Amino acid sequence: MTKTMEDQIEGANSESLPAEYVRNLAFQLSICYHLGFGTARSDIKSMKLLQKSGRSQEYSDNALNQIEMSTEVMSVGNLYGSLAESGLVLPIRFFHHYVENGILETALSIIIREINDLENALSVESSLILILEAQLGTIYREQGKWTMAENIYSDIIKKSKRMNGINTQSAINSMMTLSSIHLLQGRWNEAAELAIQGLDTMKRTLGTAHLSTIAGLAQVASILSSQGEWKKAAKMLEEAKNTITKMLGPEHPDSLAAKGNLAVVYSNLGRLKEAEILECQVMETSKRVLGERHPYTLTSIMNLASTYRSQGLSEAAEELELKARKLHEIVFGTDHPATLACVNNLAFTYRIQARWEEAEKLELWVIDASKRLLGEKHPSKLAFMADLATIYRDQGRLTEAKELELEVLQARKEVLGENHPHTLMSMANLVVTYQKQSQWQPAEHLGLQVFQASKRLLGELHPSTLTAMDSLASTYRGQGELRKSEDIAFTVVKATTEVQGLEHPETLSSMANLASTYRDQGKWKEAEHLERQVLKIRTQVLGDEHPLTLNIMASLSLTLGHLGKFSEAEKLSLFVLNTAKGKLGDENALTLVGMASLAATYRDQGKLLTEAEKMEEHVMKTRIKLLGESHRQVVDSMGNLALTYQTQSKWKDAELLLLRATDISSKELGEEHLATLTCKAALASNYRRLGSYEKAEDMFCHTIQTLTRLLGAEHPKTLAAMINLGATYRNLHAWEDVEELSLRTTEMANRICGPDHSNTLASMSNLALAYKNTGRLDDAVMLLLELIDRSKRTLGPEHQETVTHMCNLASTYRSQRRYDEAEALQFNAKEISERTRGNKHEDTIICSNNLAWIWRGQGRNKEALDLLAESVELFNTSLGGDHPYTISVTKVLQHWSEEDGG
């Protein structure tokens, strides 16, 4: 202990420590040499150090008298505490000093030896022995040896009570330290019980305005924060800040620390602007009063950087963290736990910025250094490993992420126990990776374990429990159990709103998750309502340029596209793209999301398709550059670009791209990964549009078998593939098969997805056409009228699906010889398609072809022939002469020409 103090005094010329701090340290060491505490007695050294401290002999004598008269266990600590109240003395972090100088094991052996020597020379319950035992317990705590630390402090408390009673400051201090150990162990209820007991005793014996009482208040608030009781914690810390500021003044280090603690809680409450204001005040005041290199100042810099990151100001966060890293290395050295934590924060910022290589490089260095300094299984090292696994996951390196997460989980079970919150966090991280890998069964199994353990250990309304529930809802959504997913997600939204408040980030995140479930169910209006709520609150709290705000804008844009609200969808997508591009750069992940969203809006409207294609190509190529061709986001980008090709009837281009995407996904993610099966289903649909009906049928049947085995027959993905198979049977004119399959899928879709879901409407459309082509025209008309009504209501009157149903009804009217009704409906459909998709789009050409048939039925043969000839020409251009549509319409044109004598 004295060696540590001597080293800091001798190193004072490095200017890394404030001069007043060194003088106070010299006075402490002077007392130690006079008493012979922790070192051999030396009056000569004591006098020299007293002179260096700037204190008088009278001041020293008074302090010594206090020590000699006191029977308090931590009497020396009380002297130190009185010096600390002046704001000029900092606690000596013995553990960090020992680690930094590579003498930890030596120091431990010396402390243990001193304890044994004092026990032999003095009473076993001597105050000096308990001081050394407290130091030993603190070192064990820092090492992550929490059970050993717990045992030591439990013993100290018992001895303190026997020596001086429960109400002594030493017993209370030990109780508060043991409480902090329980907090690290994840035993939050026990931690709270001890801390509250200690706080009540301090209020009773010292008064509410005593510094120790205020420190106890802050510790209880810290425990409440861990329990997710942010509002209660904020109220307590506001009280502590106001009291200590009034006592010591706004610039005292303890006042600044109180402000900093309050700012952290504000940040966790989502009150980011208030947190920023407080942290800026703390940082600037600390710089001016204590100096830029003071540890309090460094902490304030890191806290402000964290708030900037939460506000989406990653560049400002990075600037502060780079500065903090440099200062940490000057003050503490490169190989110091505080420096490692600083570098880890910088790696987190790089990860947010998608600077994967830099983030990974820093994280690997931190892990290696922590292993060397703290040990293979120290909790801090395991936390750094978990952060590295997240970096791997974000890059799509899912196998590496899973292997690392399994390693961390096993180590945390051994070191911390199966019920520790950090162990549960490891399990939750692994669940996310399973979800990314579409391994839904292990995700569900592990997710249920996390939820049940969190509920049992932390409580039903703890934020970690609610997060586990939200993750479970996502797993059920992935499995296609949409009703179950909706029920759980709704419960989470209700609970987080009650516990955290409507504006809390976790509440908004849960609302966005519920909106995703609504989208998968085809409940577009419900999704829109929730997403608008989230967007409004995030805009108010975070601003309209925050990444989270832009993310929900992009989601809302896609929802609006499904509702046919293309103008607003386009406006939102443009804002996301331009804002992200301007603030974050061309290659930022959010910029690419905005670009993909805008391209999808153009594609859904059938306009600016060349521009949409260019944007999709840019997104795909940029993601390949940043993430590698094997990343899931790249495969998704290929699928989106293929859709844009298909919208332009570029079926061959779409086929080549989907073959490439399927091959990549099969090799990197596996033949049975959901992304691979999605690619195969899209490829089968493309073959159908190319007229390769048998090939499409075979691929759909194989995909359906695999999806049924992996996800079940009633999963939305399985159901969608079955409906597309029904459409393929339509092309093959296998109307009995169409009817049989469509009756089954319509019942399932209504039950599973709801009456207005796209799967339900598509299945009903297949069934209506089966009725029409088997002569059940009245049944077909009734079904198609219902379809048009639902489609107009949910998607809008000009949505392409609505137009398709109008065309099918017009065709059915024609079969019933209701030509006037058929013409009016078909002409309206053609006009909408021309306006929204262009006169050369395949769907518009089909409208023209259908109208020609109606005119033919009306006896308007010349107009019908001219319109059909125009359709043949356009089909040849868009689909090619060998496409079944082109071949079929060409044969009809020849037949009509012959009939008309042309």
Side-chain angles (χ1 to χ4, degrees):
M1 183 165 62
T2 53
K3 180 68 168 58
T4 302
M5 297 164 74
E6 286 174 346
D7 287 346
Q8 291 200 6
I9 293 169
E10 291 171 3
N13 292 333
S14 66
E15 299 183 0
S16 63
L17 296 170
E20 190 62 25
Y21 170 79
V22 175
R23 286 194 291 271
N24 284 307
L25 205 61
F27 180 68
Q28 292 177 65
L29 191 55
S30 169
I31 296 293
C32 289
Y33 273 116
H34 182 85
L35 294 172
F37 176 61
T39 184
R41 287 191 76 257
S42 173
D43 290 335
I44 294 174
K45 287 185 178 182
S46 176
M47 185 59 66
K48 286 182 179 179
L49 286 164
L50 181 62
Q51 290 172 356
K52 190 162 189 172
S53 74
R55 301 310 199 275
S56 67
Q57 184 64 52
E58 182 182 0
Y59 185 92
S60 176
D61 290 342
N62 286 336
L64 289 167
N65 285 335
Q66 290 178 32
I67 295 169
E68 290 169 1
M69 291 170 62
S70 176
T71 59
E72 173 65 87
V73 176
M74 305 295 273
S75 55
V76 177
N78 282 338
L79 172 62
Y80 173 79
S82 66
L83 293 172
E85 288 182 13
S86 68
L88 300 174
V89 178
L90 293 172
I92 301 169
R93 301 296 296 274
F94 291 105
F95 172 76
H96 288 170
H97 175 77
Y98 297 151
V99 168
E100 186 179 0
N101 290 278
I103 57 171
L104 179 60
E105 294 303 322
T106 302
L108 280 171
S109 64
I110 290 173
I111 293 169
I112 292 170
R113 189 195 65 208
E114 287 185 358
I115 291 172
N116 292 332
D117 289 345
L118 284 171
E119 285 178 343
N120 290 330
L122 304 171
S123 164
V124 173
E125 295 186 348
S126 164
S127 301
L128 297 181
I129 293 174
L130 296 190
I131 291 173
L132 289 173
E133 287 181 338
Q135 185 186 350
L136 180 62
T138 301
I139 291 173
Y140 284 150
R141 182 183 64 183
E142 296 288 336
Q143 281 184 301
K145 297 178 178 179
W146 296 328
T147 301
M148 295 173 70
E150 175 192 359
N151 292 337
I152 286 176
Y153 268 98
S154 295
D155 190 52
I156 290 173
I157 291 171
K158 292 176 184 176
K159 291 178 181 177
S160 297
K161 289 178 180 178
R162 285 197 299 270
M163 292 170 64
N164 298 291
I166 184 62
N167 293 331
T168 58
Q169 189 60 40
S170 59
I172 297 168
N173 288 343
S174 297
M175 286 170 62
M176 300 304 277
T177 303
L178 181 58
S179 169
S180 73
I181 293 168
H182 285 332
L183 186 63
L184 291 169
Q185 291 172 310
R187 293 158 59 181
W188 293 339
N189 290 336
E190 293 171 77
E193 185 180 339
L194 265 178
I196 291 170
Q197 183 182 348
L199 177 61
D200 289 343
T201 305
M202 285 187 282
K203 285 180 177 179
R204 191 172 60 253
T205 58
L206 302 175
T208 56
H210 194 278
L211 285 178
S212 296
T213 306
I214 296 169
L217 194 70
Q219 183 165 333
V220 172
S222 175
I223 296 167
L224 288 173
S225 297
S226 298
Q227 293 175 313
E229 298 280 0
W230 299 110
K231 291 180 182 178
K232 291 181 181 178
K235 187 175 180 181
M236 294 185 77
L237 288 173
E238 284 166 353
E239 179 188 344
K241 176 185 77 71
N242 293 336
T243 304
I244 203 165
T245 302
K246 185 177 180 181
M247 287 174 57
L248 303 176
E251 296 187 349
H252 189 281
D254 286 352
S255 300
L256 297 177
K259 270 189 178 181
N261 291 336
L262 179 58
V264 171
V265 173
Y266 280 165
S267 184
N268 281 293
L269 277 168
R271 296 162 62 177
L272 298 175
K273 196 62 187 175
E274 293 171 86
E276 179 193 353
I277 292 170
L278 277 179
E279 285 162 349
C280 283
Q281 291 174 358
V282 171
M283 183 181 73
E284 294 303 326
T285 307
S286 293
K287 282 181 182 179
R288 180 166 47 80
V289 175
L290 302 174
E292 190 175 51
R293 298 178 180 180
H294 193 283
Y296 282 7
T297 307
L298 298 182
T299 298
S300 69
I301 293 173
M302 297 304 298
N303 287 343
L304 179 58
S306 177
T307 298
Y308 281 155
R309 197 166 51 232
S310 297
Q311 290 175 307
L313 305 173
S314 63
E315 290 182 0
E318 178 191 357
E319 183 180 348
L320 280 180
E321 286 165 344
L322 285 169
K323 182 178 182 179
R325 180 185 183 181
K326 184 177 180 181
L327 290 171
H328 271 81
E329 289 174 347
I330 292 171
V331 175
F332 299 114
T334 303
D335 288 343
H336 188 281
T339 307
L340 300 189
C342 177
V343 175
N344 184 67
N345 286 348
L346 179 59
F348 182 54
T349 298
Y350 286 155
R351 179 192 144 221
I352 295 296
Q353 295 173 330
R355 293 160 64 177
W356 310 118
E357 290 185 8
E358 294 167 272
E360 180 180 351
K361 183 178 179 182
L362 285 182
E363 206 67 70
L364 285 168
W365 179 82
V366 168
I367 290 169
D368 180 68
S370 62
K371 178 181 177 180
R372 186 174 66 255
L373 293 171
L374 305 174
E376 181 69 42
K377 294 184 178 180
H378 190 278
S380 294
K381 189 231 175 190
L382 298 179
F384 299 147
M385 290 172 67
D387 289 340
L388 178 61
T390 303
I391 293 170
Y392 287 156
R393 190 199 310 135
D394 287 349
Q395 294 178 83
R397 295 160 62 180
L398 300 178
T399 301
E400 293 170 86
K402 182 168 75 172
E403 289 174 355
L404 197 53
E405 284 166 346
L406 285 168
E407 183 181 345
V408 172
L409 175 58
Q410 185 58 39
R412 280 179 167 166
K413 283 182 177 179
E414 294 174 11
V415 175
L416 307 177
E418 294 198 0
N419 292 326
H420 192 281
H422 289 178
T423 306
L424 298 181
M425 190 185 301
S426 285
M427 295 166 70
N429 290 339
L430 187 55
V431 168
V432 175
T433 302
Y434 283 144
Q435 290 170 340
K436 295 278 187 181
Q437 292 178 310
S438 296
Q439 295 183 12
W440 301 112
Q441 289 185 348
E444 179 187 4
H445 177 71
L446 193 59
L448 280 168
Q449 287 185 48
V450 175
F451 166 62
Q452 290 163 356
S454 296
K455 183 178 178 181
R456 185 180 70 254
L457 298 169
L458 308 177
E460 193 169 6
L461 297 178
H462 189 277
S464 296
T465 307
L466 297 175
T467 299
M469 285 180 70
D470 215 26
S471 178
L472 198 56
S474 296
T475 298
Y476 286 135
R477 186 172 70 243
Q479 290 176 305
E481 297 186 55
L482 299 178
R483 297 286 172 81
K484 187 182 286 188
S485 175
E486 179 186 348
D487 289 344
I488 294 174
F490 185 84
T491 301
V492 173
V493 170
K494 184 179 179 182
T496 51
T497 302
E498 291 175 0
V499 175
Q500 308 282 32
L502 186 59
E503 295 185 355
H504 193 276
E506 292 299 325
T507 305
L508 299 177
S509 177
S510 66
M511 290 168 69
N513 198 25
L514 177 57
S516 296
T517 302
Y518 284 151
R519 282 201 306 269
D520 285 355
Q521 290 174 301
K523 296 182 177 181
W524 301 110
K525 290 188 177 180
E526 289 89 339
E528 177 193 8
H529 175 71
L530 266 184
E531 287 168 342
R532 286 191 186 279
Q533 269 190 286
V534 175
L535 175 58
K536 181 180 178 181
I537 295 170
R538 282 183 176 168
T539 302
Q540 290 172 346
V541 176
L542 303 174
D544 60 1
E545 296 186 349
H546 190 280
L548 289 175
T549 309
L550 297 177
N551 261 316
I552 198 64
M553 276 188 195
S555 296
L556 177 58
S557 172
L558 294 174
T559 300
L560 293 173
H562 281 284
L563 287 168
K565 299 180 180 181
F566 297 120
S567 178
E568 188 180 1
E570 183 178 333
K571 183 180 177 182
L572 283 174
S573 295
L574 275 168
F575 183 84
V576 173
L577 173 59
N578 293 333
T579 304
K581 189 175 182 180
K583 290 180 67 69
L584 305 172
D586 290 351
E587 296 185 346
N588 183 267
L590 197 48
T591 304
L592 300 180
V593 167
M595 191 172 289
S597 176
L598 182 60
T601 303
Y602 288 157
R603 182 175 65 237
D604 289 343
Q605 295 177 83
K607 77 171 195 179
L608 297 176
L609 294 175
T610 302
E611 184 66 21
E613 180 181 329
K614 288 178 181 178
M615 286 192 288
E616 293 287 8
E617 286 178 345
H618 176 77
V619 171
M620 181 185 73
K621 290 175 181 177
T622 306
R623 283 177 172 167
I624 289 173
K625 173 186 172 183
L626 297 176
L627 305 173
E629 193 174 56
S630 62
H631 196 280
R632 169 68 187 271
Q633 288 184 25
V634 173
V635 175
D636 291 342
S637 297
M638 290 178 175
N640 290 336
L641 178 56
L643 278 175
T644 304
Y645 285 153
Q646 290 171 339
T647 305
Q648 299 173 88
S649 301
K650 295 182 176 181
W651 305 108
K652 285 291 183 183
D653 292 337
E655 178 187 3
L656 292 174
L657 191 57
L658 287 169
L659 283 168
R660 180 183 171 195
T662 303
D663 181 62
I664 292 169
S665 190
S666 297
K667 288 178 179 177
E668 299 297 330
L669 301 175
E671 285 282 348
E672 297 187 343
H673 190 279
L674 189 56
T676 308
L677 297 172
T678 301
C679 287
K680 287 182 177 181
L683 186 58
S685 292
N686 199 75
Y687 284 142
R688 183 174 75 83
R689 300 306 293 265
L690 279 167
S692 301
Y693 302 132
E694 289 81 5
K695 195 171 187 178
E697 179 187 4
D698 289 343
M699 185 166 281
F700 273 130
C701 286
H702 174 75
T703 303
I704 289 167
Q705 287 175 359
T706 308
L707 286 169
T708 301
R709 177 166 47 81
L710 295 175
L711 303 176
E714 297 191 344
H715 189 280
K717 291 284 185 183
T718 312
L719 184 57
M722 292 169 68
I723 292 166
N724 281 325
L725 177 60
T728 307
Y729 287 154
R730 254 174 38 204
N731 295 123
L732 291 166
H733 302 289
W735 296 112
E736 290 184 3
D737 292 335
V738 176
E739 181 177 350
E740 180 185 349
L741 184 58
S742 298
L743 281 168
R744 181 183 169 200
T745 55
T746 300
E747 185 278 326
M748 289 167 59
N750 263 302
R751 177 166 44 81
I752 297 166
C753 304
D756 295 328
H757 193 274
S758 57
N759 280 346
T760 308
L761 302 183
S763 183
M764 288 172 65
S765 180
N766 285 344
L767 183 58
L769 291 174
Y771 288 158
K772 171 183 177 289
N773 286 279
T774 55
R776 297 169 59 182
L777 299 179
D778 290 342
D779 291 338
V781 167
M782 288 180 62
L783 202 52
L784 286 165
L785 284 169
E786 185 181 352
L787 264 174
I788 292 170
D789 180 64
R790 289 192 192 182
S791 191
K792 282 182 177 179
R793 189 174 67 252
T794 58
L795 303 176
E798 296 195 349
H799 194 278
Q800 190 53 42
E801 290 302 317
T802 307
V803 173
T804 299
H805 302 320
M806 291 166 65
C807 291
N808 290 336
L809 179 58
S811 178
T812 308
Y813 282 158
R814 179 174 63 83
S815 298
Q816 292 180 311
R817 300 183 183 278
R818 297 162 64 177
Y819 293 118
D820 291 345
E821 293 170 89
E823 180 188 10
L825 192 58
Q826 187 63 67
F827 196 86
N828 187 21
K830 180 175 181 290
E831 190 272 332
I832 293 171
S833 190
E834 285 177 338
R835 187 172 64 253
T836 58
R837 312 202 73 150
N839 60 0
K840 294 182 180 180
H841 192 275
E842 179 186 331
D843 292 334
T844 308
I845 303 169
I846 291 172
C847 285
S848 297
N849 176 65
N850 291 348
L851 186 58
W853 276 96
I854 294 168
W855 284 350
R856 187 77 176 178
Q858 290 174 315
R860 299 160 62 181
N861 292 356
K862 178 67 170 62
E863 293 171 272
L865 192 64
D866 291 344
L867 188 56
L868 193 66
E870 182 183 325
S871 299
V872 169
E873 184 179 343
L874 291 170
F875 271 137
N876 268 297
T877 302
S878 63
L879 301 179
D882 58 346
H883 191 280
Y885 282 6
T886 311
I887 294 169
S888 175
V889 177
T890 301
K891 287 180 180 179
V892 171
L893 179 63
Q894 290 172 348
H895 179 65
W896 286 3
S897 296
E898 292 170 0
E899 280 188 345
D900 295 347

